[in-house]
Amino acid sequence: MDRRRGKEAADVKDAKRESIFSCPVCGEALMIGEGGYRCASGHCFDRAKEGYVNLLPANRQHASTPGDDKEMVRARTAFLDSGRYAPLKEALCGLAARYAGEGTVLLDAGCGEGYYTEGLSRVIEEKGGRTGGADLSKTAVKKAAKRCREAEIAVASVYHLPLAEGSVEMVTDCFSPLAKEEYRRVLKDSGRFLYVVPGARHLWEMKEILYDKPYENEVREEAYEGFRLLETVNLDFGFRLEKAEEIMALFRMTPYTWKTPKEGVERLAEQKELGLRAEFRILVYERR
Ligand SMILES: [Zn+2]
């Protein structure tokens, strides 16, 4: 990241258009120009060749790669590209289309490799709006930037979003950590928050192999402070995995990866095919 202060401030006037994002150092608006992103105070952030920008402040950069590692991103990309979760993408994009107004600015929080962001940005663009995606994992963000040419993709924490207060009309979160206070800060009044969570028996058939006593996911209709629940969309569909590596790719993108006993993982690794049911809930909230 490049943040030469001051000496290039004069070049700001050459900047082409305003970014969705704001400067992570001083909070001012960022302009996108030839050389990357700049604020009026002269803080500069290069645009990587893949098209993303790193807006993680220096004091939040970690020595090791933060966020999802390469193997996890690769597994998730392979699985999502197979189209098995396409019904979820469709449902989410359908809701975004229904709730977005003309010129809506949408932030996909924890956008990962941009599988959902790509669909969302097309819907938003049709309404003359703009889309941003933020994720802590640089590996994931690189893929997202290639996938979503029309969206602005940044390396950033969802807990410290480089966005001005009340600057977006819609926030989406697909299985990403829930930073509800931060989402509320960046949302305009009456802005919408679309939150995708697993249903009670999501991927139950996989859990039956992994665990001696599988548990159901807790299903809650949380009334988050500062938000009003407008509707809940339940979605379930079946799909079949016919290769051991596909089964393991899906496993590696679930939280079970971190908490399954070795014997369970071995049992799963022996499966040649697996029929599964995905169960999702999309919660639609209004900021108040
Ligand atoms: Zn600045």
Side-chain angles (χ1 to χ4, degrees):
M1 192 188 339
D2 181 9
R3 53 163 73 99
R4 288 155 291 181
R5 197 190 162 96
K7 71 183 168 67
E8 289 181 26
D11 296 340
V12 170
K13 63 181 188 302
D14 299 330
K16 299 281 186 292
R17 62 193 167 97
E18 192 167 344
S19 167
I20 291 168
F21 296 114
S22 55
C23 176
V25 180
C26 69
E28 281 182 58
L30 280 176
M31 302 300 289
I32 309 172
E34 295 282 308
Y37 289 64
R38 285 171 196 195
C39 76
S41 300
H43 301 120
C44 307
F45 306 90
D46 287 340
R47 186 155 39 182
K49 64 177 190 302
E50 293 88 353
Y52 71 91
V53 60
N54 189 341
L55 296 179
L56 209 54
N59 61 357
R60 295 207 184 93
Q61 306 260 7
H62 303 275
S64 58
T65 314
D68 299 331
D69 65 23
K70 277 185 185 169
E71 198 203 345
M72 200 169 177
V73 171
R74 191 159 41 229
R76 205 164 51 200
T77 302
F79 176 81
L80 291 172
D81 281 344
S82 78
R84 262 101 172 187
Y85 276 6
L88 172 59
K89 188 178 188 174
E90 265 170 50
L92 181 63
C93 291
L95 278 172
R98 185 144 62 81
Y99 282 106
E102 283 301 311
T104 282
V105 176
L106 177 146
L107 174 81
D108 191 17
C111 66
E113 60 290 284
Y115 176 72
Y116 303 102
T117 326
E118 184 270 330
L120 290 165
S121 69
R122 270 190 284 127
V123 163
I124 293 300
E125 203 190 345
E126 274 171 28
K127 302 212 172 219
R130 296 186 297 156
T131 301
D135 200 287
L136 202 52
S137 162
K138 200 186 278 185
T139 312
V141 157
K142 274 183 194 173
K143 287 212 190 303
K146 283 189 208 162
R147 217 196 269 269
C148 316
R149 289 292 178 194
E150 302 308 318
E152 279 186 55
I153 307 289
V155 180
S157 163
V158 295
Y159 294 102
H160 303 278
L161 289 166
L163 285 164
E165 243 169 69
S167 60
V168 305
E169 280 86 8
M170 193 177 285
V171 171
T172 48
D173 176 324
C174 280
F175 323 113
S176 184
L178 175 65
K180 52 186 188 297
E181 287 86 7
E182 186 66 343
Y183 299 164
R184 188 168 185 278
R185 182 185 71 79
V186 303
L187 273 168
K188 287 197 169 96
D189 256 346
S190 305
R192 303 295 155 81
F193 167 43
L194 275 53
Y195 186 30
V196 181
V197 294
R201 289 170 74 87
H202 179 54
L203 304 181
W204 185 253
E205 299 79 1
M206 179 181 277
K207 280 168 130 179
E208 282 184 318
I209 296 169
L210 293 173
Y211 304 110
D212 296 329
K213 284 189 185 137
Y215 59 93
E216 288 193 1
N217 295 320
E218 200 179 337
V219 167
R220 291 180 294 193
E221 298 260 296
E222 292 259 18
Y224 300 120
E225 206 187 324
F227 288 97
R228 185 166 74 95
L229 184 64
L230 296 180
E231 68 168 306
T232 303
V233 175
N234 292 302
L235 183 69
D236 67 285
F237 51 89
F239 61 96
R240 193 157 192 84
L241 300 177
E242 280 150 350
K243 283 183 199 149
E245 69 228 47
E246 286 185 329
I247 297 170
M248 294 317 283
L250 175 57
F251 171 64
R252 282 191 205 101
M253 59 184 266
T254 68
Y256 319 133
T257 295
W258 314 113
K259 51 188 181 198
T260 299
K262 203 166 112 252
E263 310 82 67
V265 181
E266 284 167 3
R267 278 198 299 269
L268 188 68
E270 284 164 15
Q271 308 295 314
K272 300 282 178 285
E273 55 181 334
L274 186 59
L276 288 150
R277 275 201 93 66
E279 226 184 88
F280 299 108
R281 305 170 73 235
I282 309 176
L283 309 169
V284 182
Y285 290 93
E286 180 184 54
R287 185 205 190 278
R288 47 198 260 171

